[in-house]
Amino acid sequence: MHAHVIADDAEALAVAAALAEEFRAGASARDAERRLPREELDRLSASGLLAVTVPAEHGGADVTALTLAEVFRLLASADGSLAQIPQSHFVYVNVIRRQGTEEQRKFFFAELLAGRRFGNAQSEAGTKHIQDIRTRLEPQPDGSYLLTGVKHYSTGALFADWIPVLARAEGDNLHVAYVPRQAPGLTVIDDWDGMGQRTTASGTVRLDGVEVPADRVFPHHLTFQGPQLHGAVAQLLHAAIDAGIAAGALTEAADFVRNKSRPWFESGVDTAAEDPLLIQRFGELALRVRASDALLREAARAVDAARTDLTDHTAAEASIAVAAAKVQAAQSAVEVASALFEVSGTRAALNSLNLHRHWRDARTHTLHDPTRWKIQHIGRYVLNGTRPPRHGLL
């Protein structure tokens, strides 16, 4: 595979904006037909966007968190499913940056620059809670491992070259094993049937005694033994997806009202776009979207600041800023995508128009982790100075 190498933040944003426009055209049809975006992902890989966080010393652009968040917001404004697929990709690039040896970094960063994609095999179903990981890495006499378990919600695994697998090894410590998509004993099942984000292929991964060399395993548990931004970056990208979905829904609502809606007969105006009550509602929705975008940028800047000077304090500030952005963006995505119908009128509910994909994507994506707990951590931090926990979801 050959991929372009993006030079800097400005080029990353320009490429993302161009791809978003390209992907927007077919987003509704892909969702309606559940047509998996293989060609679009190949375009994403070839563009170089998937390697923009590779460190400069390894040949990458090493873009800021502010740029990366905007890349995801742009992509999500066009297609809320497509933007979700590389979210875990960047999360597991960060694991390599933080816990990889120099040889591991050299190998995997070269893979990324060549356009290779990471999926994920992280969550499990039927366990006590989300951090009850039962997949096992069993050490072998030669220093390698055997990997056994079943994963669900494995977004991107079906399209991946490498699948990072979260598993427990000696002492029940969490590790990440990077496994080739075609490894013997690894099976990806396309059984995702969510009402929203329908083309993410977030299905099942089965691991039946998969052989993993020692140099493909990373000690992820060490990530959480000091100040870290693992959770903040992961959640920042989730917030960017929600903000993008909200922006996309608002844009489509405005276009519909301008070109297809009829004014209410009592308004006394000639077009729906002149209706003062609709104008008021669009103003309210625009405020929600602008607030989401502003908090997203503020959170990204906090992450960038913490990267420059990583301490317990700066990591906590970044996590709280990201939590605030995530709460606002999640609420906005659901509200704006729902209000699309309120402002557009009866015709907007036609299944053939598929305008409900925005709400379905928003409602599905915002279920990833509860915002009510983020609000709790924000409140504890403001009131009592209690720093948020280091569990990777803040």
Side-chain angles (χ1 to χ4, degrees):
M1 181 183 294
H2 176 74
H4 172 69
V5 178
I6 288 175
D8 53 29
D9 291 68
E11 185 182 5
L13 292 172
V15 170
L19 284 178
E21 286 308 304
E22 180 182 324
F23 296 158
R24 191 185 313 278
S28 179
R30 284 192 298 272
D31 173 86
E33 300 165 15
R34 197 178 180 269
R35 189 170 72 241
L36 299 181
R38 297 182 186 276
E39 293 181 6
E40 289 75 15
L41 286 171
D42 287 343
R43 289 278 295 119
L44 193 62
S45 292
S47 76
L49 271 183
L50 296 182
V52 293
T53 58
V54 170
E57 60 267 28
H58 288 271
D62 202 6
V63 302
T64 64
L66 182 63
T67 292
L68 189 62
E70 178 63 7
V71 166
F72 271 80
R73 193 195 68 82
L74 287 167
L75 293 175
S77 72
D79 186 336
S81 284
L82 189 54
Q84 178 64 37
I85 293 170
Q87 189 268 344
S88 290
H89 170 95
F90 285 98
V91 170
Y92 286 104
V93 173
N94 280 346
V95 172
I96 295 169
R97 289 188 63 149
R98 187 171 174 94
Q99 299 302 338
T101 65
E102 185 55 33
E103 284 303 308
Q104 287 174 320
R105 293 189 187 111
K106 182 178 179 181
F107 174 80
F108 278 110
F109 291 153
E111 287 285 280
L112 293 168
L113 289 169
R116 305 285 189 264
R117 294 193 290 265
F118 292 166
N120 96 90
Q122 179 171 283
S123 295
E124 300 179 11
T127 57
K128 186 176 180 181
H129 50 68
I130 194 171
Q131 293 196 324
D132 181 15
I133 302 297
R134 300 181 184 180
T135 298
R136 302 296 305 188
L137 272 167
E138 297 293 343
Q140 302 302 297
D142 64 356
S144 66
Y145 295 86
L146 286 182
L147 182 59
T148 303
V150 179
K151 298 290 188 176
H152 299 269
Y153 313 118
S154 302
T155 302
L158 192 68
F159 315 112
D161 299 290
W162 292 88
I163 301 178
V165 181
L166 195 62
R168 296 197 182 275
E170 302 95 329
D172 271 353
N173 287 320
L174 279 176
H175 289 67
V176 177
Y178 289 70
V179 183
R181 166 71 177 81
Q182 303 301 329
L186 187 154
T187 306
V188 180
I189 304 168
D190 181 21
D191 56 357
W192 170 243
D193 65 348
M195 68 173 181
Q197 295 195 305
R198 298 183 64 214
T199 61
T200 58
S202 301
T204 301
V205 171
R206 294 187 178 276
L207 305 139
D208 298 311
V210 178
E211 296 181 6
V212 184
D215 62 357
R216 298 294 180 261
V217 177
F218 294 71
H220 191 37
H221 61 286
L222 298 180
T223 299
F224 307 103
Q225 292 185 3
Q228 50 81 34
L229 297 171
H230 178 82
V233 172
Q235 290 296 305
L236 179 72
L237 301 185
H238 281 308
I241 292 168
D242 288 338
I245 291 172
L250 184 62
T251 297
E252 190 143 13
D255 180 73
F256 194 96
V257 169
R258 282 193 298 265
N259 297 297
K260 297 177 182 178
S261 293
R262 297 182 297 179
W264 183 244
F265 72 96
E266 292 179 286
S267 66
V269 297
D270 294 328
T271 68
E274 297 173 285
D275 185 332
L277 298 183
L278 284 182
I279 289 171
Q280 176 72 21
R281 187 63 174 130
F282 269 97
E284 293 167 351
L285 297 175
L287 284 175
R288 297 294 302 227
V289 171
R290 283 174 175 265
S292 297
D293 293 349
L295 284 176
L296 181 68
R297 290 191 294 269
E298 179 183 286
R301 291 189 184 102
V303 170
D304 284 328
R307 277 179 172 167
T308 302
D309 178 25
L310 186 60
T311 66
D312 285 332
H313 174 71
T314 60
E317 285 284 319
S319 288
I320 292 300
V322 170
K326 182 65 171 68
V327 171
Q328 173 67 27
Q331 293 174 349
S332 295
V334 173
E335 179 183 348
V336 176
S338 177
L340 184 157
F341 302 97
E342 169 195 335
V343 296
S344 299
T346 305
R347 187 182 175 192
L350 293 178
N351 198 53
S352 59
L353 296 177
N354 199 25
L355 294 177
H356 47 69
R357 72 180 175 89
H358 298 287
W359 183 87
R360 289 187 289 102
D361 285 349
R363 185 64 280 177
T364 300
H365 182 254
T366 54
L367 298 176
H368 267 86
D369 47 276
T371 56
R372 59 187 177 274
W373 276 99
K374 297 184 187 303
I375 295 170
Q376 279 283 311
H377 292 304
I378 294 168
R380 292 170 184 173
Y381 188 69
V382 170
L383 187 60
N384 300 316
T386 304
R387 291 179 179 139
R390 296 171 178 162
H391 54 40
L393 293 173
L394 276 171

